[in-house]
Amino acid sequence: MKKIILAGASLNSGNRGVNALTRGQIMLICDKYGYDSEIEILSYTVKDEIINKIIYNNKEIIVKETPCSKNELIVAYIESIGFGENYILKKIKLADMVFDISEGDSFSDIYGTKRFIQHSIIKLIAINVKTKIVIMPQTLGPFNRNWVKIIARKILNKADKVFVRDEISKKVATEELQIQRDIKYIPDLAFYMKCDEKTFIDKFISDKKKIKVGINVSALLYNGGYTKNNMFNLKANYKKLVTSLIEKFANMNDVEVILIPHVMTKNFEVEDDFSVCKKIANDISKKIRTDIKTIDKYYREDEIKTIISGCDFFIGSRMHACIAAISTKVPTAPIAYSRKFIGIWEKIELGDCVLDPKNESENEIIEKIIKIYNNRSRIKEVLELQIPLLKSQIENIPYIIEQK
């Protein structure tokens, strides 16, 4: 029986992408190490211990999620190079392995140095106490500050295995940080997460004969980022863009539109796709006198994936909403505010489907999306070929970890 710690992970984040990465890892562990594996999440999300119960292949998997406050993390790090042993340090010492996924893209200072430090400490503790540490497939960087680069270089050099989910991250490690070790490309773990079998898109659809177009609206982009002042320096006016897109598709006679949130955080409005989708659906329905649908409650990440899988075409601004679509072979047009999108889409030979709101106007993006939509049959053929290959690569992770 393997005892595995998941770090930079959660099953209780409002960001369903983080949860999808975590659930994908758990499913992989069960498949490759056995259902009796002891899995525990050291969480930056929860405030109190949570016992998560996951049903997978008709078996109940218990995954404890333990809170890690910043103060306790710092204490654990200090004790890992000196004396003492708080609960975080003890758990890491007793583990066979630590799988650290950094919430997908938080091993970087792009979101600030506090977040980078938070996501570095468990990695450093595992290195200090010689517990096997695996950097799971994720985006590396950007690393903008010199001292951040020094810490990142140390971690990547000393980790037992390093996986990246795109070639750009590999380039950052080898060229910018001058890492000379072997770094493996493995697709994003959300590709491995299975759909929930009890959820269906039908309850949100009026006419099953129509083409179902799912649109994921990012509240973060809609609200202008955390600064609420075009934080991501978009050329396109995102509010105008999504409004025009929704209206354009809703006015097509053979199309039914459903708005699908992927980050749901009722206490953090700037990030809450759910409330933004509700507002947009209501406003546009009144304006064009067409019933724009959206989901009715907060769904789990595997349930959302099932809903997305029922679409015939998908447009998204949250990367893991788009991964939920392409991993279920739904032709997709991602509106990418970050470089993390393009690396994944290029790997499946669909880089030309990625829209760039930093450098393209609303009209340019809409024109490209219509072309992608009209070409969706060819895109689906590519996905039918590429997606099984991605999933088989993910299955190789345990074998690579065991290699000397």
Side-chain angles (χ1 to χ4, degrees):
M1 181 185 76
K2 291 284 186 183
K3 185 177 286 191
I4 300 174
I5 294 284
L6 303 183
S10 179
L11 286 170
N12 294 281
S13 173
N15 186 333
R16 297 305 190 266
V18 173
N19 299 351
L21 289 171
T22 305
R23 194 174 286 265
Q25 288 185 93
I26 292 166
M27 290 177 173
L28 180 67
I29 290 167
C30 290
D31 285 344
K32 300 302 176 182
Y33 292 112
Y35 291 91
D36 62 342
S37 299
E38 187 177 326
I39 306 168
E40 182 170 356
I41 301 168
L42 292 182
S43 176
Y44 311 138
T45 300
V46 302
K47 304 298 183 189
D48 301 297
E49 182 178 285
I50 293 179
I51 303 300
N52 300 290
K53 295 180 180 180
I54 295 175
I55 303 299
Y56 180 52
N57 290 341
N58 297 318
K59 294 181 174 64
E60 184 178 77
I61 314 300
I62 304 297
V63 179
K64 183 161 71 172
E65 188 162 348
T66 303
C68 292
S69 71
K70 290 176 183 176
N71 288 341
E72 292 288 356
L73 280 170
I74 291 168
V75 169
Y77 174 74
I78 293 169
E79 290 177 345
S80 74
I81 54 177
F83 299 99
E85 188 179 79
N86 76 351
Y87 72 96
I88 296 173
L89 181 56
K90 185 175 182 179
K91 288 176 185 295
I92 293 172
K93 281 183 174 180
L94 291 174
D96 294 304
M97 292 182 283
V98 175
F99 287 0
D100 197 315
I101 205 156
S102 309
E103 295 180 341
D105 66 349
S106 290
F107 192 45
S108 166
D109 57 355
I110 192 174
Y111 298 115
T113 56
K114 288 183 180 178
R115 193 149 154 189
F116 170 78
I117 292 168
Q118 183 182 46
H119 282 276
S120 297
I121 290 178
I122 286 179
K123 298 174 179 69
L124 290 167
I125 292 171
I127 289 166
N128 289 344
V129 301
K130 295 182 169 50
T131 296
K132 181 177 278 192
I133 172 75
V134 179
I135 308 301
M136 294 297 277
Q138 60 189 269
T139 300
L140 302 181
F143 304 110
N144 296 310
R145 297 161 179 85
N146 286 333
W147 66 267
V148 167
K149 291 178 182 179
I150 291 168
I151 294 172
R153 187 180 296 115
K154 175 181 177 178
I155 289 169
L156 295 176
N157 274 325
K158 290 185 176 291
D160 291 273
K161 297 290 178 182
V162 178
F163 299 107
V164 295
R165 64 185 181 185
D166 59 79
E167 292 296 336
I168 299 171
S169 292
K170 193 171 183 177
K171 192 173 180 181
V172 167
T174 56
E175 295 184 10
E176 187 179 327
L177 298 183
Q178 299 293 300
I179 304 294
Q180 296 182 354
R181 63 170 299 156
D182 185 36
I183 295 174
K184 297 281 188 189
Y185 161 77
I186 295 287
D188 189 286
L189 263 296
F191 281 101
Y192 201 79
M193 180 184 71
K194 278 62 171 184
C195 291
D196 175 68
E197 296 178 352
K198 297 178 182 178
T199 308
F200 303 96
I201 196 173
D202 295 5
K203 67 183 291 188
F204 307 111
I205 297 300
S206 301
D207 187 345
K208 293 180 183 179
K209 294 179 182 179
K210 287 189 175 183
I211 298 166
K212 299 179 284 295
V213 174
I215 300 179
N216 160 246
V217 180
S218 164
L220 187 61
L221 298 185
Y222 192 85
N223 289 315
Y226 300 116
T227 64
K228 299 189 176 181
N229 187 30
N230 194 16
M231 176 183 173
F232 297 103
N233 298 312
L234 305 186
K235 177 181 178 180
N237 183 312
Y238 186 77
K239 280 189 179 182
K240 288 182 180 178
L241 172 62
V242 295
T243 300
S244 298
L245 271 173
I246 294 164
E247 290 180 3
K248 192 167 192 70
F249 278 98
N251 282 320
M252 295 180 183
N253 291 331
D254 59 344
V255 166
E256 188 160 353
V257 172
I258 172 173
L259 305 187
I260 305 177
H262 208 258
V263 173
M264 289 169 262
T265 54
K266 66 176 71 173
N267 296 321
F268 194 25
E269 188 177 336
V270 72
E271 279 266 34
D272 187 23
D273 299 357
F274 185 81
S275 60
V276 164
C277 285
K278 284 280 189 189
K279 177 184 182 302
I280 294 171
N282 185 56
D283 290 349
I284 295 180
S285 293
K286 288 179 180 177
K287 179 180 176 183
I288 65 173
R289 297 182 181 179
T290 298
D291 187 17
I292 305 295
K293 302 289 199 309
T294 188
I295 64 173
D296 55 342
K297 64 177 184 177
Y298 284 19
Y299 286 89
R300 285 193 323 264
E301 54 283 352
D302 54 329
E303 294 170 328
I304 288 285
K305 185 170 185 173
T306 306
I307 294 167
I308 291 173
S309 74
C311 297
D312 300 300
F313 185 69
F314 191 75
I315 304 162
S317 305
R318 298 285 191 181
M319 190 179 79
H320 281 101
C322 294
I323 286 178
I326 59 172
S327 64
T328 52
K329 303 170 187 172
V330 177
T332 299
I335 300 171
Y337 70 94
S338 160
R339 70 166 170 85
K340 61 187 179 181
F341 287 79
I342 189 66
I344 292 172
W345 264 255
E346 284 179 341
K347 273 290 184 181
I348 55 173
E349 301 177 6
L350 290 173
D352 57 343
C353 290
V354 178
L355 294 314
D356 182 5
K358 286 191 169 185
N359 295 298
E360 296 171 335
S361 68
E362 304 96 83
N363 289 338
E364 288 172 319
I365 291 171
I366 291 169
E367 185 178 332
K368 285 186 177 181
I369 287 175
I370 295 302
K371 286 180 180 176
I372 296 166
Y373 171 76
N374 290 333
N375 203 24
R376 63 190 183 278
S377 295
R378 181 195 69 83
I379 294 169
K380 190 169 183 68
E381 288 175 4
V382 174
L383 293 173
E384 293 280 0
L385 177 66
Q386 293 289 337
I387 297 306
L389 299 177
L390 295 188
K391 290 179 179 176
S392 67
Q393 286 178 284
I394 292 171
E395 290 176 341
N396 284 330
I397 288 177
Y399 305 112
I400 297 170
I401 289 172
E402 297 306 320
Q403 292 171 357
K404 297 294 184 183

